Amino acid sequence: MKILVVGNGGREHALAWKLLQSQQVEQVYCVPGNGGTAIMSGCQNLLLKVDDFEGISKFSLKEGVDMVVVGPEVPLAKGITDYLRSQDIMVFGPTQAGAQIEASKAWSKALMQEAGIPTAKAAVFTQTPEAKSYVQAQGAPIVVKADGLAAGKGVIVATTIEQAESAIESIFQGQFGSAGKFVVIEEYLAGQEVSVLALTDGLTIRPLLPAQDHKRIGEGDTGDNTGGMGAYAPAPIATPELMAKVQTEVLEPAIATLQGRGIDYRGVLYAGLMITPQGELKVLEFNCRFGDPETQVVLPLLATPLEELMLACIQQRLGEMPPITWKQGVAATVVAASGGYPGNYEKEKLISGIEQAEALGVTVFHAGTKLLGQQIMTDGGRVLNVTAIGENFQQALDRAYAGIRCIEFEGMYYRRDIGYRVR
Ligand code: AMP
Ligand code: GLY
């Protein structure tokens, strides 16, 4: 098979890497890929933009690409799947209608309410005064969200009413552009977050191993939100009992309600869950794609060939597939970020030590990197994901940290406490 992966993050490097492990996969193309996919044997980067649907389609038809796998939410929300399907190209990822589950928090909330999926109480606003009165009536802490896609920055967990009010003002003043036409204000939930990435063909839905990521930049889960600074799987908090509840109370009702709306959803449905201190399960959000960095710890443990599962989703035969199988052990990843991230940071710093890290047995998934001549340079906020498997979390984390200590670039930052809950 020839497979084209859309995206350029650590998630896409992990997808390309996993797909290439299968005997059935001879070639992977990445659009546009990164420094890691540029040097991976069997993989080739294409100089196309993720929303150049025509370019991706033309290339796929010309080269006989068998399947396109879409990593990020933006091309999905713009309708890449609808476009490629209309050209008879097989695509793993939901249509534009399905991607609304991530692209509009108000739409997603309404779907959860219709499906009876447990979630935080919320209200949707189009005007500042009404939103502010609601916040004053509810009190703090409270969560203010821009409705649309905001590159992970559209959620403000406000600890005071003043903070919530200023978040409302900046969203309505256009801080996130058209993503801020609506504001969703939500009850604050305490607890532990778990990410459940599930594969679906629109009829059947099957979860992958549950993962936990660390969203905050600082140790002890403090400071600004990021895309994720590290992750591990399987998350012990997601017991078999909890996963059974996720299946019947979250995943199945979501798919049934999508079906009821005439939405044919094939790809990943990612449920971002909060487990409250009372052990209650609530959905914080749905995403229409694989998580990043969760994918980097889930895929190394997957034993069933990934392309078989993806094809089964596209061809609506997931229900006929044998159960998904997993390797023994656990996985952990630690993100090396550019100094200053998630704020401003510099790029084009020379990275050294990746080969030394890999010689220790870790897998280094590239995120914000590029190949310049023979050199790997930084090219983004989250730069590398140093990933290790082990018999237990202590071992996997020790290995990942031994690997990351080999790596250097100017301004490199990483959290030293990834996985503190499971060590
Ligand atoms: P979302 O994109 O809606 O998942 O929000 C991003 C992050 O904000 C989540 O991963 C949580 O850390 C936090 N968050 C979102 N909603 C809530 C909530 N209702 N209560 C507490 N934290 C939240
Ligand atoms: N790691 C969070 C996300 O992918 O949305």
Side-chain angles (χ1 to χ4, degrees):
M1 283 181 79
K2 292 181 182 176
I3 300 178
L4 187 150
V5 175
V6 176
N8 66 351
R11 165 183 55 205
E12 287 76 19
H13 188 185
L15 285 164
W17 170 86
K18 188 69 191 180
L19 289 165
L20 278 166
Q21 284 180 354
S22 169
Q23 296 292 322
Q24 303 303 315
V25 179
E26 83 182 82
Q27 175 74 46
V28 172
Y29 302 100
C30 283
V31 171
N34 57 33
T37 57
I39 59 175
M40 187 165 54
S41 160
C43 188
Q44 186 190 327
N45 286 351
L46 304 178
L47 259 178
L48 290 170
K49 295 214 157 65
V50 299
D51 58 0
D52 180 2
F53 301 165
E54 200 183 324
I56 293 170
S57 163
K58 279 194 177 142
F59 179 88
S60 301
L61 293 170
K62 185 168 116 264
E63 293 300 323
V65 166
D66 298 286
M67 172 167 68
V68 173
V69 175
V70 187
E73 63 279 12
V74 170
L76 291 167
K78 286 188 176 172
I80 189 170
T81 299
D82 309 71
Y83 186 89
L84 296 177
R85 272 198 200 169
S86 76
Q87 309 291 307
D88 286 328
I89 297 166
M90 291 209 280
V91 198
F92 181 82
T95 58
Q96 187 168 34
Q100 290 179 92
I101 204 158
E102 175 166 2
S104 167
K105 291 186 189 293
W107 192 91
S108 181
K109 208 54 165 185
L111 180 120
M112 288 187 233
Q113 280 156 0
E114 184 188 332
I117 294 171
T119 184
K121 187 177 125 191
V124 182
F125 298 91
T126 54
Q127 312 270 349
T128 304
E130 287 82 351
K132 283 190 177 176
S133 329
Y134 182 79
V135 162
Q136 284 155 10
Q138 298 292 314
I142 193 153
V143 184
V144 180
K145 301 183 176 187
D147 177 61
L149 295 179
K153 300 189 177 75
V155 175
I156 298 94
V157 179
T159 47
T160 63
I161 291 185
E162 292 69 36
Q163 237 184 330
E165 289 185 334
S166 93
I168 292 166
E169 279 172 16
S170 41
I171 295 174
F172 280 135
Q173 278 162 12
Q175 192 191 354
F176 305 110
S178 61
K181 252 176 83 184
F182 301 98
V183 166
V184 179
I185 301 182
E186 201 170 277
E187 166 197 10
Y188 170 80
L189 298 173
Q192 273 196 55
E193 288 179 52
V194 180
S195 305
V196 176
L197 283 48
L199 301 179
T200 180
D201 60 3
L203 306 170
T204 300
I205 184 156
R206 293 200 184 161
L208 302 177
L209 291 180
Q212 277 187 301
D213 77 344
H214 291 272
K215 291 209 165 62
R216 306 296 195 96
I217 188 71
E219 282 158 21
D221 296 324
T222 55
D224 288 344
N225 253 325
T226 72
M229 295 300 294
Y232 47 91
I237 190 177
T239 57
E241 295 72 40
L242 187 94
M243 290 302 285
K245 271 175 81 167
V246 171
Q247 180 70 19
T248 55
E249 293 179 17
V250 177
L251 301 177
E252 286 172 2
I255 285 302
T257 308
L258 286 164
Q259 266 178 38
R261 294 184 175 198
I263 294 172
D264 176 11
Y265 193 108
R266 306 182 203 182
V268 172
L269 182 65
Y270 161 154
L273 308 170
M274 185 69 92
I275 316 299
T276 69
Q278 295 75 37
E280 276 181 310
L281 165 70
K282 304 251 176 154
V283 174
L284 289 180
E285 63 167 346
F286 282 117
N287 294 320
C288 62
R289 51 167 176 84
F290 284 101
D292 187 346
E294 291 92 326
T295 302
Q296 290 87 307
V297 289
V298 170
L299 293 186
L301 298 173
L302 179 67
T304 307
L306 179 59
E307 84 289 352
E308 285 181 18
L309 291 168
M310 288 177 159
L311 278 175
C313 289
I314 296 172
Q315 297 170 337
Q316 287 206 310
R317 20 175 212 84
L318 189 60
E320 297 159 27
M321 293 286 286
I324 300 173
T325 55
W326 299 96
K327 298 180 180 171
Q328 288 289 326
V330 304
T333 191
V334 181
V335 171
S338 296
Y341 172 81
N344 294 332
Y345 53 83
E346 291 177 15
K347 292 186 186 176
E348 298 213 352
K349 307 292 181 195
L350 179 67
I351 306 172
S352 66
I354 294 176
E355 282 170 16
Q356 287 82 339
E358 285 175 333
L360 299 179
V362 304
T363 304
V364 180
F365 294 121
H366 292 224
T369 74
K370 66 178 175 189
L371 183 65
L372 210 69
Q374 299 297 309
Q375 315 268 36
I376 297 288
M377 314 289 278
T378 69
D379 192 36
R382 289 189 293 170
V383 177
L384 300 168
N385 307 131
V386 181
T387 309
I389 52 181
E391 285 166 26
N392 51 51
F393 285 114
Q394 183 76 39
Q395 194 179 52
L397 288 160
D398 285 348
R399 286 178 177 163
Y401 276 108
I404 208 167
R405 282 195 293 270
C406 298
I407 296 173
E408 274 182 57
F409 56 85
E410 193 189 313
M412 172 169 136
Y413 167 79
Y414 61 91
R415 278 181 58 170
R416 322 263 156 163
D417 67 340
I418 298 303
Y420 67 82
R421 286 198 189 90
V422 292
R423 260 188 186 273

